[in-house]
Amino acid sequence: MTGMTFSQIVHMDCTAYAWAMGNLALHMLMRMAEGVAGSAAWLGRGLSCVCAQRRESDARPSFDLTLAQEECLQRLQSRIDVAYDSSRPEHQEALRALWHAAFPEEELHGLISEQWKEMGWQGKDPSTDFRGGGFISLENLLFFARNYPKSFQNLLQKQEGDRSMWEYPFAVAGVNITFMLIQMLGLQAVKPRMLIGAIFLKLLSENESAFDLLYCIAFKLMDQQWLSMRASYMDFNTVMKSTRRQLERELLLEDVTRLEDMPSFNLLR
């Protein structure tokens, strides 16, 4: 079980997931006993997305959309449907751009390189980690790096707060956040079935970059939750649940008419 990839663990059902996490905990203790210092190559395998666990309270009537909202949803869904393809030049360029945004002073030796572990990918080939979030998860990371570079670097370098010795790997956590938001907002349905999804589509119709911006907010909020909970490796799923609940609460606030009105937006610099 310890050889499974991040994306395989994400899509397991709850019973199998609990069993996997028990085995993973045992594996982690074994690695600690061997004196391994928490490398991203194996840390990432322990991350799973809370969004894969459905709740009965999520089932709600669908909401009608305006023509503008419907068009925005379709454009976003077309992005979500794109898998990362390492043979496509535009995907290769986006990955290189992400590296240069993250490490502007360090030359990248190749799209398959041990260097990628510095960013928190599981191995030397990031393409294997995009299966859980698709190409949009790379676009999210790149949007974050370009639009909020200080916050991006703070998270990448773990520069703020009293950090755990067993930290979450940055890039794999980013893919997890993309997947969580897609599920939380019900973006793969023809119409939103939850109020939170309907609210978001209204925001999206007024700001085409709303999903990318919400991603940045969610990443910063997740890290804040991580620090406030004094979390470590095996607490990641609990942190993700807390992050999702806080995002839902803020999006439902009456005075939030745009994402910049969310209290957590202030976490971005």
Side-chain angles (χ1 to χ4, degrees), residues 98-104 106 115-121 141 144-145 148-160 163 167-172 219-220 223:
L98 178 62
W99 174 268
H100 293 307
F103 304 107
E106 185 176 347
Q115 290 173 285
W116 288 107
K117 295 179 183 179
E118 298 176 35
M119 196 184 295
W121 299 104
L141 281 166
F144 192 7
Y148 300 97
K150 182 170 179 58
S151 288
F152 180 89
Q153 287 294 332
N154 282 344
L155 295 185
L156 173 64
Q157 305 294 341
K158 304 292 195 301
Q159 292 175 336
E160 295 181 344
R163 315 300 309 199
E167 279 290 308
Y168 64 85
F170 173 79
V172 177
F219 212 143
K220 280 294 289 184
D223 189 72

Side-chain angles (χ1 to χ4, degrees), residues 71 98 124 180:
E71 291 174 348
L98 178 62
K124 61 184 181 180
M180 180 268 285

Side-chain angles (χ1 to χ4, degrees), residues 69-175:
Q69 291 169 356
E70 190 173 319
E71 291 174 348
C72 286
L73 175 59
Q74 290 172 353
R75 285 194 292 271
L76 182 54
Q77 287 175 333
S78 68
R79 291 178 62 195
I80 292 170
D81 288 340
V82 177
Y84 180 82
D85 185 348
S86 57
S87 68
R88 294 178 62 173
E90 62 269 31
H91 290 200
Q92 295 174 8
E93 283 307 307
L95 192 57
R96 289 191 186 94
L98 178 62
W99 174 268
H100 293 307
F103 304 107
E105 305 299 324
E106 185 176 347
E107 181 182 357
L108 178 65
H109 300 315
L111 294 182
I112 298 179
S113 169
E114 293 290 334
Q115 290 173 285
W116 288 107
K117 295 179 183 179
E118 298 176 35
M119 196 184 295
W121 299 104
Q122 291 188 74
K124 61 184 181 180
D125 184 4
S127 68
T128 61
D129 289 329
F130 285 122
R131 294 170 188 157
F135 182 61
I136 193 172
S137 59
L138 172 54
E139 291 181 312
N140 290 157
L141 281 166
L142 194 52
F143 180 92
F144 192 7
R146 287 172 169 170
N147 290 274
Y148 300 97
K150 182 170 179 58
S151 288
F152 180 89
Q153 287 294 332
N154 282 344
L155 295 185
L156 173 64
Q157 305 294 341
K158 304 292 195 301
Q159 292 175 336
E160 295 181 344
D162 184 13
R163 315 300 309 199
S164 166
M165 184 174 72
W166 301 95
E167 279 290 308
Y168 64 85
F170 173 79
V172 177
V175 175

Side-chain angles (χ1 to χ4, degrees), residues 55-61 193-194:
R55 303 172 300 182
E56 291 182 6
S57 60
D58 284 343
R60 297 184 182 181
R193 296 176 56 196
M194 299 171 287

Side-chain angles (χ1 to χ4, degrees), residues 211-223:
F211 185 78
D212 301 271
L213 178 54
L214 185 60
Y215 171 88
C216 301
I217 296 171
F219 212 143
K220 280 294 289 184
L221 178 60
M222 185 278 291
D223 189 72

